[in-house]
Amino acid sequence: MATVRSTHPANLTPSPPCPSPARSPAATSTRNRKPLAATPAEQLALQPSEAAVLLTAAARSRDLRLGRALHARLLRMGNLLDADAVVANSLLTLYSKCGAVAAARSVFDGMPRGLRDLVSWTAMASCMARNGSELEALRLFGETLQAGLLPNAFTLCAAAQACFVSELFQLAGDAVLAFVFKMGLWGTDVSVGCSLIDMFARNGDLVAARIVFDGLVERTVVVWTLLITRYAQGGYADNAVGLFVDMLQNGFRPDQYTMSSILSACTELGSISLGQQLHSLALKFGVVSDSCVRCGLVDMYVKSQTEQSMNNARIIFDSMPNRNVMVWTALLSGYVQCRVQENKVMALFSEMLNEGIRPNHITYSSLLKACSNLSDHDSGRQIHSHCIKSNLAPVNVVGNALVSMYAESGCMEEARRAFDQLYEKNMFSFSFDFDRDGRTSISQGYNIENADVGISTFTFASLISAAASVGLLTRGQQLHAISLKTGFGSDRGIGNSLVSMYSRCGYQEDAFRAFEEVNDRNVISWTSMISGLAKHGYAEWALEMFHDMISAGVKPNDVTYIAVLSACGHAGLVKEGKEHFRLMQKDHGLIPRMEHYACVVDLLGRSGLVEEALDFINNMPCKPDALVWKTLLGTCKIHDNMGIGEIAAHNVMELEPQDPAPYVLLSNLYADAGLWDQVARIRSLMRERNLSKEAGLSWMHVENTIHSFRAGDTSHPKAEEIYLKLDTLVKEIKGIGYIPDTAIVLHDMPEELKEQCLLQHSEKIAVAFGLISCALATKPIRIFKNLRVCADCHSALKYVTKATGREIILRDSNRFHRMKDGKCSCGEYW
């Protein structure tokens, strides 16, 4: 019989008075060495039964330090670990529960084979299954059977846990289930039932998980909570809520873990009324003080995205004595997502830092989104610095947000640099992993906390989304090709990103093909397609897609309805828009948020129903925010309605005094009416408050290089050639009917200077550059602009397409304009 055993626990550092022997645990035989000398007092102080009790206590408290000290004492006592299975198993269990895999393995390998029993094998298998060595856990399970030992409930729990990995589930899941039946443990043992539920749920088979649950003779709160949690995590929020109701009806009292899971399901459903009922239950059952429950409540309220729900979230947040990074991030994200008091975000971030809370990647992503929404790229640069210091800038979700923030702020060079760093970081890691062993390892995972670099579906989806933000179609196409080569072509997340990327880059036909290739379409797939069609002017097609989505059984969310209402607004479909706004509440129980109200205001205002739009705002069930008033102000500018425009502008100034947009639009209204004294007053007010109009910027990509232009820009290396082409172009289009619309130049100056200003707009400069750079006549000229295209440039570009035969695709801040043969896809309705 082998007598080899461990003489020393892994990573064990005994106390100084008792030095450990410097020899390998596995290479030391009890026959060839003398036991370490132990004093009579030590031998009397620790009997086998006492040692087992102490080790068990240390295991329950997960006290690894105490466990190692006890192990050292046992070694000094001689051959107790060789002779007593209970003590050896207690030590093995201790290391297993503390996650000390190497120490556990050393003890297990050092046990004489005659001493190993079912407890030993089970403890070692459990340790391996819990610490990422699932295949080894199943191998140990097989060795247990080969040793003639019949598995018990704990052994089968360890085997089922090893099958959480999908590949191993396919390999051994059925065998584990067969042993459960064979040992008579089906439905009779709660711990085995929980393990089976988890095994099936983690592998996407919630139907089988429910069968296991229904087959249990006895159920505990833990079992109910487990299945509720897995339903919520698997996207079956309705099932989670239904099971929770069954749990209450069966007389079970939910604990803090149950409430946390059901709040997540409620948040997924977007039901504020259900959330309020759950809040009441949390108070009733006395679990509302739990930090996870409070965090869930904050998350639920902020994702309801109304001003009142944000106030409720803030009340709960302020009542929390200890706030972790998750709840801080939830509140920050809420302010960003619902666009309510968004200017508070940076102040809240400062408070968070002052409390010593370290932001994570989601925190930074939300902060960058806030900077993007507020066009505050100065704060964005500061956040970027924090990201670099925290080593989180390479994380995909952060890098993506950086690209979007810079792009939407018009800082195209910085956006391009941020994208290139993200692209190079990920693609270098991918190339290294791919080339190192000549094959890709699809099962290899990368933790997002560790920069999430490497070959993963999330990586590709993030990079494709970032490419779309900058309009880098070529990069997006490269990523599409690489994702196909690596076997990720069928991934839904990548497919959804491709739909969005092709739409945002002006390739709606390719977007539709990408949509068609998505096998298991979800609400994001459909919404991306509907939104793209709306922005490209295909309103009827967008509404048809929406009806197809409903027919396919996919429930629309609030973002879907923003796309639908936007489609109606872009096409002047007032009746249809009003009906969809009514049905989103009646048929789908979705509570409108500010973006939906703004869409209706835009729909009415663009159609000339400015007074009705004002009445709609005055009758809103909640206080309108700056977005709603800015939307009304924009429509007043279109229809020269100064009276209502003043009302809207003053409301925006009151709500967001540092936003220059209302001052500019009101100044434009006064200029249209020839009220130059009022124009001077508004501009003086802007100077006093240190506000400036956002500069217009147009850019395009030629041979993987971004070329950006501002009005009157002469900084481009080809500036002389560009302006010569522009002069020639203007003469040509004037010859076929173009007349500069000098009325839109809102400065008190001579007509000649007004026309000169018009002809130097960034869009016209970009088109001239496009014509001298893109010689291929069949290739469209694609231009991106950070602001809404002006009426004169819109008219001029249509004439350019007629004079040159070239198609022009312009993406402004509002929508796409596909111009060809003197016509635009917007139908003059933008």
Side-chain angles (χ1 to χ4, degrees):
M1 180 183 297
T3 57
V4 178
R5 72 169 177 89
S6 172
T7 62
H8 199 63
N11 301 319
L12 175 62
T13 306
S15 55
C18 304
S20 61
R23 55 170 65 95
S24 171
T28 305
S29 170
T30 56
R31 249 180 297 182
N32 298 326
R33 68 168 173 82
K34 291 182 179 181
L36 290 173
T39 66
E42 287 178 334
Q43 291 177 340
L44 291 173
L46 198 61
Q47 298 301 314
S49 59
E50 294 171 332
V53 169
L54 288 171
L55 288 166
T56 301
R60 285 175 180 166
S61 60
R62 304 296 195 272
D63 192 339
L64 183 58
R65 184 177 179 182
L66 174 60
R68 284 175 171 164
L70 289 169
H71 190 177
R73 177 65 64 85
L74 290 171
L75 288 173
R76 290 195 296 271
M77 291 176 62
N79 63 350
L80 186 59
L81 289 174
D82 280 342
D84 196 296
V86 175
V87 174
N89 287 337
S90 298
L91 181 61
L92 177 57
T93 302
L94 163 73
Y95 283 135
S96 173
K97 289 188 176 181
C98 291
V101 180
R105 190 71 203 221
S106 178
V107 172
F108 179 79
D109 290 341
M111 291 175 67
R113 287 196 174 272
L115 198 66
R116 291 181 195 168
D117 57 13
L118 184 61
V119 176
S120 314
W121 290 99
T122 299
M124 196 64 239
S126 297
C127 180
M128 292 298 180
R130 281 198 300 264
N131 291 282
S133 298
E134 292 85 356
L135 183 60
E136 178 64 12
L138 282 180
R139 191 184 67 78
L140 286 167
F141 178 64
E143 289 182 6
T144 305
L145 300 176
Q146 289 174 359
L149 300 172
L150 289 176
N152 62 14
F154 299 107
T155 317
L156 291 170
C157 285
Q161 188 171 0
C163 291
F164 289 175
V165 178
S166 59
E167 291 88 346
L168 298 181
F169 172 72
Q170 299 295 329
L171 179 69
D174 289 341
V176 172
L177 184 61
F179 270 104
V180 171
F181 278 107
K182 181 178 179 180
M183 303 309 299
L185 296 172
W186 172 262
T188 61
D189 189 281
V190 173
S191 60
V192 172
C194 285
S195 297
L196 289 176
I197 289 170
D198 228 4
M199 179 182 77
F200 285 119
R202 287 173 183 264
N203 285 281
D205 194 348
L206 283 163
V207 174
R210 183 58 188 261
I211 292 171
V212 176
F213 175 85
D214 291 338
L216 285 170
V217 176
E218 178 188 358
R219 296 173 192 157
T220 64
V221 172
V222 173
V223 182
W224 287 94
T225 301
L226 175 62
L227 189 55
I228 289 169
T229 303
R230 295 301 176 241
Y231 272 138
Q233 293 173 342
Y236 296 91
D238 289 329
N239 298 70
V241 172
L243 192 62
F244 179 73
V245 172
D246 290 343
M247 177 182 178
L248 296 177
Q249 290 176 345
N250 278 273
F252 286 89
R253 182 188 181 97
D255 60 15
Q256 65 269 33
Y257 304 108
T258 321
M259 292 305 303
S260 179
S261 293
I262 197 62
L263 281 168
S264 296
C266 173
T267 303
E268 180 71 22
L269 290 172
S271 174
I272 185 67
S273 58
L274 174 60
Q276 290 169 332
Q277 294 177 55
L278 291 173
H279 191 172
S280 298
L281 282 175
L283 290 166
K284 177 182 177 181
F285 293 127
V287 297
V288 77
S289 60
D290 180 78
S291 60
C292 289
V293 173
R294 288 193 187 184
C295 190
L297 286 168
V298 170
D299 191 47
M300 181 271 297
Y301 279 121
V302 300
K303 287 182 178 174
S304 298
Q305 299 186 351
T306 65
E307 187 169 7
Q308 183 56 50
S309 68
M310 281 304 304
N311 291 336
N312 292 337
R314 189 60 193 260
I315 290 169
I316 297 169
F317 176 84
D318 290 338
S319 72
M320 297 179 70
N322 298 309
R323 299 180 291 225
N324 59 20
V325 66
M326 291 188 297
V327 74
W328 277 99
T329 301
L331 189 67
L332 284 166
S333 300
Y335 281 121
V336 175
Q337 289 166 3
C338 69
R339 305 292 293 270
V340 173
Q341 300 174 324
E342 198 169 9
N343 54 339
K344 287 185 176 181
V345 170
M346 296 307 295
L348 199 62
F349 177 58
S350 297
E351 289 181 39
M352 177 182 179
L353 294 178
N354 290 336
E355 284 197 11
I357 305 297
R358 184 179 178 182
N360 62 18
H361 55 288
I362 303 298
T363 318
Y364 284 125
S365 174
S366 297
L367 289 166
L368 290 166
K369 178 63 176 174
C371 295
S372 178
N373 292 343
L374 296 169
S375 297
D376 185 2
H377 54 271
D378 290 331
S379 294
R381 288 190 179 97
Q382 294 179 40
I383 300 300
H384 190 176
S385 298
H386 279 282
C387 295
I388 293 171
K389 290 178 182 177
S390 303
N391 200 30
L392 290 174
V395 176
N396 285 317
V397 70
V398 177
N400 200 347
L402 281 168
V403 174
S404 298
M405 183 274 295
Y406 283 127
E408 291 176 24
S409 299
C411 306
M412 294 312 301
E413 287 304 316
E414 289 168 286
R416 178 60 188 260
R417 282 197 296 270
F419 175 82
D420 286 343
Q421 289 169 5
L422 187 66
Y423 183 88
E424 289 167 10
K425 178 78 174 177
N426 282 281
M427 287 299 103
F428 173 80
S429 175
F430 159 71
S431 299
F432 177 76
D433 286 329
F434 189 88
D435 295 337
R436 180 172 50 189
D437 57 6
R439 58 184 177 83
T440 60
S441 178
I442 295 175
S443 63
Q444 184 176 4
Y446 288 85
N447 192 331
I448 191 170
E449 294 285 356
N450 296 323
D452 191 55
V453 295
I455 180 170
S456 70
T457 56
F458 183 81
T459 299
F460 282 111
S462 297
L463 285 170
I464 291 167
S465 179
S469 297
V470 198
L472 287 170
L473 175 69
T474 304
R475 286 293 198 195
Q477 289 172 325
Q478 289 174 359
L479 290 162
H480 188 179
I482 295 170
S483 68
L484 292 172
K485 290 179 181 178
T486 52
F488 292 148
S490 60
D491 180 76
R492 185 170 64 187
I494 292 177
N496 291 344
S497 296
L498 288 170
V499 173
S500 179
M501 185 270 293
Y502 282 120
S503 290
R504 292 173 70 183
C505 289
Y507 285 74
Q508 196 55 35
E509 296 82 2
D510 290 335
F512 184 71
R513 278 194 289 271
F515 173 79
E516 289 284 285
E517 291 172 3
V518 177
N519 295 325
D520 184 20
R521 297 172 194 150
N522 61 1
V523 64
I524 298 173
S525 317
W526 289 95
T527 300
S528 297
M529 193 64 207
I530 293 167
S531 179
L533 290 169
K535 288 186 180 296
H536 280 81
Y538 303 115
E540 289 80 7
W541 190 5
L543 295 179
E544 183 181 332
M545 289 285 289
F546 176 70
H547 292 304
D548 290 343
M549 171 183 173
I550 301 296
S551 300
V554 179
K555 183 179 178 180
N557 60 19
D558 50 354
V559 182
T560 313
Y561 268 103
I562 291 174
V564 169
L565 293 171
S566 176
C568 294
H570 286 320
L573 303 174
V574 176
K575 181 180 177 182
E576 292 85 348
K578 287 181 176 179
E579 182 65 9
H580 282 297
F581 183 74
R582 184 183 70 84
L583 291 178
M584 72 174 285
Q585 304 169 74
K586 179 177 179 290
D587 289 356
H588 299 289
L590 294 170
I591 299 174
R593 65 178 203 246
M594 287 300 169
E595 285 90 343
H596 299 103
Y597 290 115
C599 283
V600 175
V601 170
D602 186 62
L603 170 72
L604 296 171
R606 285 182 185 279
S607 300
L609 305 172
V610 181
E611 292 80 6
E612 186 178 342
L614 179 61
D615 290 339
F616 176 80
I617 293 174
N618 291 330
N619 291 314
M620 282 171 56
C622 52
K623 183 181 177 181
D625 71 350
L627 174 65
V628 173
W629 287 114
K630 276 192 278 190
T631 304
L632 180 64
L633 179 56
T635 62
C636 290
K637 172 65 179 69
I638 295 171
H639 298 289
D640 295 323
N641 193 318
M642 188 188 303
I644 295 179
E646 287 179 323
I647 296 171
H650 290 142
N651 274 284
V652 179
M653 290 175 189
E654 182 180 341
L655 291 167
E656 293 185 355
Q658 297 305 309
D659 185 354
Y663 299 88
V664 173
L665 288 170
L666 185 58
S667 172
N668 291 347
L669 277 170
Y670 288 140
D672 280 341
L675 302 175
W676 298 109
D677 290 342
Q678 292 285 21
V679 172
R681 181 180 66 83
I682 294 295
R683 289 179 179 167
S684 175
L685 190 60
M686 290 181 69
R687 284 193 295 272
E688 289 175 13
R689 297 183 178 180
N690 197 28
L691 301 176
S692 59
K693 177 183 176 182
E694 183 180 359
L697 176 74
S698 296
W699 69 92
M700 61 192 304
H701 302 94
V702 177
E703 296 179 354
N704 286 326
T705 302
I706 295 179
H707 299 265
S708 56
F709 306 94
R710 300 186 185 275
D713 197 347
T714 57
S715 62
H716 196 277
K718 293 186 176 181
E720 185 176 350
E721 189 178 350
I722 290 170
Y723 279 101
L724 284 173
K725 181 64 177 179
L726 184 57
D727 288 341
T728 303
L729 199 58
V730 169
K731 291 176 183 176
E732 285 183 30
I733 61 176
K734 279 185 175 180
I736 58 174
Y738 165 67
I739 300 174
D741 185 5
T742 56
I744 70 169
V745 181
L746 303 175
H747 296 279
D748 192 9
M749 60 174 64
E751 287 295 309
E752 294 81 4
L753 287 179
K754 286 186 177 183
E755 182 174 335
Q756 190 64 29
C757 285
L758 283 178
L759 298 181
Q760 293 185 3
H761 276 193
S762 62
E763 300 96 309
K764 297 185 180 77
I765 298 172
V767 166
F769 174 73
L771 288 170
I772 64 174
S773 302
C774 306
L776 190 61
T778 58
K779 190 175 182 180
I781 297 172
R782 298 177 184 274
I783 303 170
F784 301 85
K785 184 172 172 63
N786 64 329
L787 302 177
R788 184 174 178 268
V789 62
C790 77
D792 181 72
C793 285
H794 190 264
S795 173
L797 265 56
K798 287 192 298 178
Y799 276 106
V800 169
T801 65
K802 196 172 183 179
T804 63
R806 297 290 294 272
E807 181 181 3
I808 298 174
I809 300 176
L810 169 66
R811 186 182 91 181
D812 69 5
S813 61
N814 205 32
R815 63 174 299 159
F816 272 92
H817 301 268
R818 301 177 68 97
M819 303 176 187
K820 191 174 183 179
D821 299 329
K823 296 179 181 179
C824 181
S825 61
C826 72
E828 307 308 309
Y829 207 93
W830 87 98

